[in-house]
């Protein structure tokens, strides 16, 4: 499905480690308003920590959910095509599952193969 969406267009493929803001970036590119908030989490050493994060204020772009838990949110390639919202564009944006995914090494291998 993603291959059909990118055919004949320039594609920006957003890759990076899990939790680095790939889906957040696409929400912003799509024009969704983001608000800064604080999320409480545990460090890898078990200590409580507050982390500054961004959330969509309203009307989040479906399929590009922003995750802040210890589990990965993006499980497969997602494509944002601005023309589907009536915007003029020759570029599509592809969100990828993160590397060092919380689903294990096999998920990293599968993501690499998808790319």
């Amino acid at each position: 499905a993603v291959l059909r969406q990118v055919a004949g267009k320039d594609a920006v493929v957003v890759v990076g480690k899990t939790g680095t803001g790939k889906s957040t970036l696409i929400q912003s590119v799509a024009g969704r308003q983001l608000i800064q908030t604080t999320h409480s989490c545990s460090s890898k050493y078990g200590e409580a920590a507050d982390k500054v994060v961004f959330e969509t204020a309203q009307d989040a772009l479906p399929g590009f959910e922003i995750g802040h838990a210890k589990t990965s949110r993006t499980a497969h390639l997602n494509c944002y095509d601005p023309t589907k919202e009536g915007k003029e564009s020759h570029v599509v944006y592809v969100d990828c599952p993160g590397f060092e995914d919380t689903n294990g090494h096999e998920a990293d291998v599968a993501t690499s193969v998808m790319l």
Side-chain angles (χ1 to χ4, degrees):
V2 172
L3 287 177
R4 282 188 298 250
Q5 291 177 298
V6 301
K9 297 185 178 185
D10 294 325
V12 174
V13 181
V14 184
V15 296
K17 288 174 65 173
T18 293
T20 57
K22 297 175 297 298
S23 299
T24 304
L25 174 68
I26 292 179
Q27 290 282 1
S28 181
V29 166
R32 299 317 194 259
Q33 181 182 2
L34 300 175
I35 55 171
Q36 182 176 319
T37 186
T38 303
H39 178 73
S40 296
C41 58
S42 298
S43 72
K44 63 182 178 180
Y45 304 108
E47 302 163 345
D50 287 336
K51 175 173 131 178
V52 175
V53 297
F54 292 91
E55 297 284 349
T56 48
Q58 59 187 9
D59 300 327
L61 188 64
F64 299 88
E65 288 76 19
I66 298 172
H68 302 300
K70 289 190 174 199
T71 56
S72 302
R73 288 295 302 255
T74 305
H76 53 81
L77 298 176
N78 292 318
C79 186
Y80 168 62
D81 183 349
T83 63
K84 302 240 189 275
E85 295 186 314
K87 300 174 182 173
E88 192 172 318
S89 179
H90 297 285
V91 177
V92 293
Y93 300 86
V94 181
D95 190 14
C96 300
F99 291 108
E100 297 184 15
D101 189 278
T102 57
N103 294 312
H105 179 68
E106 296 83 5
D108 283 345
V109 172
T111 298
S112 299
V113 170
M114 284 188 288
L115 294 174

